[in-house]
Amino acid sequence: MDLLQQLGDTFLNWEEMAKVIPSLLMVGLPNTLILAVASGILGSLLGLLLALMGISRNPAARWAARIYTDLFRGLPAILVILVIGIGLSPIARELTGSRNPYPLGILALTLIAGAYIGEIFRSGIQSVEKGQLEASRALGFSYGNSMRLVVVPQGIRRVLPALVNQFISLLKDSSLVFMLGLASSDREIFRIGNDAMANTGNLSPLVAAGILYLILTVPLTHFVNFIDNRLRTGRPEKKEPDELAAPIGKGAQA
Amino acid sequence: MTEFTSGTLTGKNLHLSFGHNHVLRGIDLHVEKGTTASVIGPSGSGKSTLLRVMNRLIEPDQGDILLDGRSVLKDNPDELRQRIGMVFQQFNLFPHKTVVENVSLALRKLRKLPKDRAHAEALEQLDLVGLKHKADVRPANLSGGQMQRVAIARALAMKPEVMFFDEATSALDPELVKGVLALMTDLAKGGMTMVVVTHEMGFSRNVSDTVTFMDAGVVVESGPPEQIFTAPSTDRLKGFLSDVL
């Protein structure tokens, strides 16, 4: 019984949790969302660019995209965040005049996410049937317009589930930015839980932080399943048989 | 009756190779304004490739293409393709757009019509193929025959001078073929210049003005349908006809 109580106190000490919840919600949550959303959007743009380079007819563009992707997919996220965050901080300080590590954290997360999202977009775009590009070109659209209006939108639609998975991963990886050293008001969810744990020697604040992460990620996971299903089965709408004897073409009647 | 501003299309000595594979070996095809030319022949004979070369989806290695007597090989190929409508075996409708958006897309983006004008014109085209009531559904909810009629409306919306049909009924269930062929017959009678690659010998015989028989990248025989179907002069055409009829 003693042991259970001890475990309960270590992980689920309500008092310690209650103390940390306000700063988790008021400081940690917005900061985590800023990191994840900003690098998610920028990473998607970078990923789209990489995907288009990857399928380009220009071999130099293909190679550049290939090397970039291999590099940033092949390195641990924490290494990229440290190298970018510390290595570029003098330049960032010069440019922005601030010591806030967020811009560099967002940059590092964007560079990593771009590599993964680029591969996701590329596989989606390449899965679109060749006939789509052909039909669009036959209408008179240029290659660029055909990609923009017809092929890319379909390709992206197909990989939305994989894209949301990538956002989930990004949301979690945003916690690694704590390595760059954050001022009290810049702390994200993990760092706040971690600091409280270090101060009290009790794990409950970290458990609270974990619960907050789950509140963010679990709905996203289910959202993935929902759109995945939706994409596979489409909206439930009945097909009608072709009206065989329908009046076809006004020309015949004239 | 719908009036078409049709053009005369001529292919001269067209050659195309993919590596060592000589797909077109000097094709001549002349389609007089307002007439229908059908192209028949065994699969792999280069019929579909010929269409793609004549609207420059694939550039020919050699030869010339004339529209109304003027060479179009130096023109911007995108502008040339706006003058030549094309209908595919697999329909190739844009699945992420509604039926009416499929038809209005090129009107908006290429003809630069305002959205409501493009929409109205697209509805008009859909009405012509009997599918105005399907304007707001997605192509996935149509039958194959309906999809192909939308694809025809999409091509016609650009007011092309020539229409290409690449085995437009080959992917359709037998009971749906009739509706699409009737629509094509209608266009032919309306004065559209058409090049029809087809396995439908009935259409070729009864609707087209000229028939071209291709085999292994060359035109083996061509002429009016009565001559091709009742008095074939080459063994290759005789063999082909006995296989398909």
Side-chain angles (χ1 to χ4, degrees):
Chain A
M1 211 53 207
D2 259 9
L3 198 63
L4 267 185
Q5 208 169 352
Q6 197 189 332
L7 276 177
D9 188 56
T10 308
F11 290 108
L12 299 169
N13 183 321
W14 305 118
E15 253 171 66
E16 296 298 338
M17 280 194 191
K19 267 191 248 168
V20 81
I21 282 175
S23 51
L24 275 181
L25 292 178
M26 306 302 292
V27 180
L29 181 63
N31 281 332
T32 290
L33 288 179
I34 288 172
L35 283 170
V37 171
S39 54
I41 292 171
L42 294 173
S44 296
L45 293 176
L46 176 61
L48 186 57
L49 177 71
L50 287 166
L52 292 175
M53 285 168 68
I55 57 170
S56 141
R57 282 171 287 192
N58 178 347
R62 281 204 308 274
W63 270 101
R66 192 70 261 155
I67 290 169
Y68 178 94
T69 307
D70 284 350
L71 193 64
F72 281 93
R73 270 203 322 184
L75 292 171
I78 195 157
L79 190 149
V80 175
I81 289 171
L82 274 180
V83 167
I84 301 271
I86 294 171
L88 297 185
S89 72
I91 302 173
R93 214 175 307 153
E94 193 102 332
L95 287 175
T96 62
S98 118
R99 283 174 174 279
N100 187 333
Y102 266 37
L104 290 177
I106 290 173
L107 174 65
L109 289 170
T110 297
L111 293 176
I112 299 165
Y116 286 97
I117 294 174
E119 285 298 278
I120 292 173
F121 280 162
R122 188 176 61 81
S123 72
I125 292 167
Q126 285 183 324
S127 78
V128 175
E129 298 75 20
K130 251 184 63 197
Q132 291 290 313
L133 178 62
E134 200 174 40
S136 172
R137 305 243 33 206
L139 276 171
F141 285 109
S142 64
Y143 176 81
N145 273 333
S146 299
M147 293 303 281
R148 188 170 61 84
L149 295 168
V150 175
V151 179
V152 170
Q154 288 184 58
I156 288 180
R157 220 163 282 220
R158 288 177 193 196
V159 294
L160 278 181
L163 193 62
V164 178
N165 275 329
Q166 197 54 48
F167 285 144
I168 292 172
S169 158
L170 193 54
L171 190 76
K172 294 183 293 176
D173 282 351
S174 69
S175 61
L176 295 171
V177 170
F178 90 95
M179 295 290 294
L180 299 179
L182 299 172
S184 158
S185 62
D186 291 337
R187 293 177 302 169
E188 37 65 58
I189 295 174
F190 170 76
R191 181 62 189 267
I192 287 173
N194 195 43
D195 283 356
M197 180 202 69
N199 289 337
T200 61
N202 188 295
L203 272 174
S204 303
L206 261 188
V207 173
I211 292 170
L212 186 50
Y213 274 113
L214 288 176
I215 291 173
L216 294 172
T217 53
V218 170
L220 276 177
T221 319
H222 286 269
F223 179 61
V224 171
N225 295 340
F226 169 76
I227 51 178
D228 200 21
N229 250 328
R230 183 65 167 271
L231 286 173
R232 201 165 321 140
T233 57
R235 235 165 284 169
E237 208 171 330
K238 274 189 191 159
K239 276 191 192 186
E240 269 179 50
D242 201 327
E243 315 87 302
L244 259 187
I248 292 156
K250 298 234 157 123
Q253 296 150 21
Chain B
M1 185 180 281
T2 322
E3 289 292 329
F4 299 115
T5 47
S6 309
T8 296
L9 181 71
T10 311
K12 275 188 183 164
N13 190 32
L14 292 167
H15 282 267
L16 180 75
S17 300
F18 296 120
H20 291 298
N21 187 7
H22 205 157
V23 187
L24 300 179
R25 302 162 176 257
I27 301 281
D28 290 303
L29 183 72
H30 179 75
V31 192
E32 198 60 44
K33 173 181 168 161
T35 67
T36 296
S38 58
V39 182
I40 61 172
S43 22
S45 57
K47 309 182 297 289
S48 296
T49 308
L50 174 64
L51 287 185
R52 283 163 177 73
V53 164
M54 291 192 72
N55 71 0
R56 294 177 63 198
L57 278 173
I58 308 170
E59 297 287 351
D61 296 334
Q62 196 188 318
D64 202 357
I65 301 158
L66 307 152
L67 194 47
D68 283 332
R70 197 180 63 82
S71 172
V72 292
L73 279 185
K74 296 254 161 30
D75 292 5
N76 177 340
D78 297 333
E79 279 163 21
L80 171 67
R81 285 190 287 267
Q82 293 182 29
R83 302 168 66 188
I84 301 179
M86 186 157 182
V87 176
F88 300 87
Q89 180 176 0
Q90 298 297 339
F91 327 128
N92 295 343
L93 292 180
F94 307 137
H96 60 306
K97 301 202 171 282
T98 64
V99 164
V100 69
E101 286 168 350
N102 262 274
V103 182
S104 65
L105 184 70
L107 293 174
R108 274 174 42 216
K109 304 287 180 183
L110 293 173
R111 290 268 184 267
K112 308 282 183 203
L113 293 188
K115 208 169 179 178
D116 50 339
R117 271 272 318 276
H119 188 85
E121 276 196 26
L123 283 180
E124 226 169 90
Q125 289 299 334
L126 285 172
D127 198 23
L128 277 176
V129 301
L131 286 172
K132 197 178 172 184
H133 62 294
K134 293 287 184 189
D136 295 317
V137 308
R138 302 260 167 183
N141 296 306
L142 298 178
S143 71
Q146 291 172 330
M147 284 194 226
Q148 197 57 298
R149 277 146 61 193
V150 173
I152 292 171
R154 176 174 72 178
L156 286 177
M158 289 297 281
K159 307 254 185 295
E161 296 155 54
V162 183
M163 281 285 283
F164 287 178
F165 292 85
D166 184 17
E167 301 190 17
T169 58
S170 297
L172 296 178
D173 291 338
E175 75 271 20
L176 304 180
V177 168
K178 215 169 88 185
V180 172
L181 285 181
L183 178 52
M184 289 165 63
T185 305
D186 236 38
L187 292 176
K189 291 190 174 148
M192 174 58 81
T193 307
M194 312 212 300
V195 185
V196 182
V197 167
T198 187
H199 292 299
E200 291 289 333
M201 292 304 138
F203 180 90
S204 178
R205 185 170 193 159
N206 299 322
V207 181
S208 50
D209 301 283
T210 63
V211 181
T212 299
F213 171 63
M214 276 178 72
D215 192 12
V218 294
V219 172
V220 178
E221 224 175 297
S222 69
E226 349 18 302
Q227 178 196 319
I228 295 292
F229 285 100
T230 56
S233 57
T234 58
D235 287 341
R236 274 201 273 182
L237 177 54
K238 281 175 196 164
F240 174 73
L241 288 176
S242 73
D243 284 346
V244 297
L245 291 179

